[in-house]
Amino acid sequence: MFLRKDQGVKGQYFITSESVGNGHPDKVCDQISDAVLDSILKEDPKGRVACETFITAGLVIVGGEITTKTYVDVHKLVRRVLAEIGYTHQKYGFSCDTCAILNAINGQSPDIAQGVDSGGAGDQGIMIGYACDETPELMPLPIMLAHKLVRRVEEVRTKKILPYLGPDCKSQVTVEYDSGAPKRIDAVVLACQHTEEILDPSGKFITKEAKQQIIDTVAKPIVGDMIDAQTKFYVNETGKFVVGGPQSDTGMTGRKIIVDTYGGVVSHGGGAFSGKDPTKVDRSATYMARYVAKNVVAAGLAKKCWVQVGYAIGKAEPVSVMIDTFGTGNVSEQKIVELVRKHFDLTPRGIIKELDLLKPIYQKTAAYGHFGRDEFSWEKTDKAAVLKKEATRA
């Protein structure tokens, strides 16, 4: 869904967003790819990384293009990440100790390198940033709740509050809006991997008691303030979810780009993030676009702000900058663009410097969303004051 100025402001409507846990096969791959990137940046901040991971039953393949002066023990790294996620026993269908690992990494193309080395963008493309005033994080409410639900699943699993849960899980939240503001939660969907101990005698379904336990222990602590008697809860609706993780589904780096961003509330540029070093504007410029949008909303210049930035490979300055406030702006979008170009360096080198992106921070981004988390530099609102001052003066 792409909100336009004439859409989604008046009347009642529903928005649904999903998230997946750190044990979901696609997210396992994202975390492995970003762990490779972190390992390289620790020793070689100038390393160039485009790492892709594929996982299936009993097998992990790590490939891509990497140029670096350091060495990464890929086999050891993969087993460490799998263990951290929780794939430590065959009862979950996948074990860090017994899976096969294939390293298929090559060097980066010198044709691309010559343009990047001079400060240009590592690829062409359009990058999207967004912020809104629905939540303290200045993120859309549905995606923030979906992320918090899968985080809660991990918490109750690792703390053994619900010891029968496995690493794989998914969530989905439907929020009812009225005149542009969140009103209530209409539906919550949870799919949680589990062991056989909570199956009923037929072996085909989890017990009603276990389903209610998941609702009470996982869902309600997160969404309780916005549910009502009409809110619907759906838990493991196929009946059971014993076979999960890479045993049940293949995973690949970069397949959860809507989960990673804004939950489908606005459009997406199309590029994935994980496994890419910050010379790749797919990643770094999207972080900068979020930084811009969040500061615009924090400054009070708009209740919603959508930012699109376009790049040409090998060129430093963006080919375009566009702002859309969906009719919520207090100043013109043209003026906001002028302020953005004045106060934000949108070149790849400027972005890397401003957001301090050459540090090994990326594995943490690879689950639970890249945005709405104060631990990351692109979530700061340090330019809001100057934007507000100059917009008011104008």
Side-chain angles (χ1 to χ4, degrees), residues 90-147:
Q90 203 59 46
K91 67 181 179 180
Y92 301 125
F94 201 88
S95 171
C96 61
D97 296 320
T98 60
C99 66
I101 300 169
L102 175 61
N103 183 346
I105 294 173
N106 297 302
Q108 184 189 49
S109 164
D111 295 345
I112 296 175
Q114 69 180 8
V116 177
D117 291 342
S118 62
D123 201 353
Q124 70 178 48
I126 56 173
M127 291 75 204
I128 303 297
Y130 182 68
C132 62
D133 64 356
E134 291 179 14
T135 63
E137 300 90 353
L138 301 186
M139 286 284 288
L141 180 62
I143 189 65
M144 288 307 300
L145 291 176
H147 287 324

Side-chain angles (χ1 to χ4, degrees), residues 247-288:
Q247 183 185 19
S248 66
D249 194 9
T250 59
M252 294 184 70
T253 300
R255 288 208 300 198
K256 286 292 177 283
I257 58 177
I258 300 301
V259 169
D260 286 343
T261 53
Y262 306 103
V265 171
V266 293
S267 58
H268 192 286
F273 307 145
S274 290
K276 298 178 182 178
D277 74 77
T279 67
K280 279 74 170 174
V281 285
D282 272 347
R283 181 170 220 160
S284 56
T286 303
Y287 291 170
M288 179 57 97

Side-chain angles (χ1 to χ4, degrees), residues 18-25 87 146 149-154 157 164-173 188-194 198 206 211 214-215 218-219 233-245 248:
E18 73 157 346
S19 185
V20 298
N22 67 344
H24 184 280
Y87 285 112
L149 282 170
V150 290
R151 273 191 178 274
R152 177 63 178 166
V153 173
E154 183 192 16
R157 177 180 66 84
Y164 51 77
L165 293 180
D168 196 359
C169 69
K170 300 176 74 172
S171 71
Q172 189 170 281
V173 179
V188 177
V189 180
L190 283 169
C192 302
Q193 185 186 15
H194 58 85
I198 60 169
I206 63 172
K211 183 175 289 193
I214 292 172
I215 292 171
V218 174
F233 290 92
Y234 304 100
V235 178
N236 289 14
E237 287 299 302
T238 65
K240 64 178 181 177
F241 188 5
V242 174
V243 180
S248 66

Side-chain angles (χ1 to χ4, degrees), residues 13-15 133-137 139-146 148-149 173-178 180-188 219-233:
Y13 57 96
F14 297 82
I15 295 179
D133 64 356
E134 291 179 14
T135 63
E137 300 90 353
M139 286 284 288
L141 180 62
I143 189 65
M144 288 307 300
L145 291 176
K148 289 178 181 180
L149 282 170
V173 179
T174 300
V175 176
E176 179 184 344
Y177 285 74
D178 189 7
K183 180 181 178 182
R184 56 178 289 275
I185 293 172
D186 187 65
V188 177
K220 288 187 176 179
I222 301 300
V223 301
D225 291 343
M226 294 191 69
I227 63 174
D228 56 27
Q230 284 70 49
T231 300
K232 299 170 285 291
F233 290 92

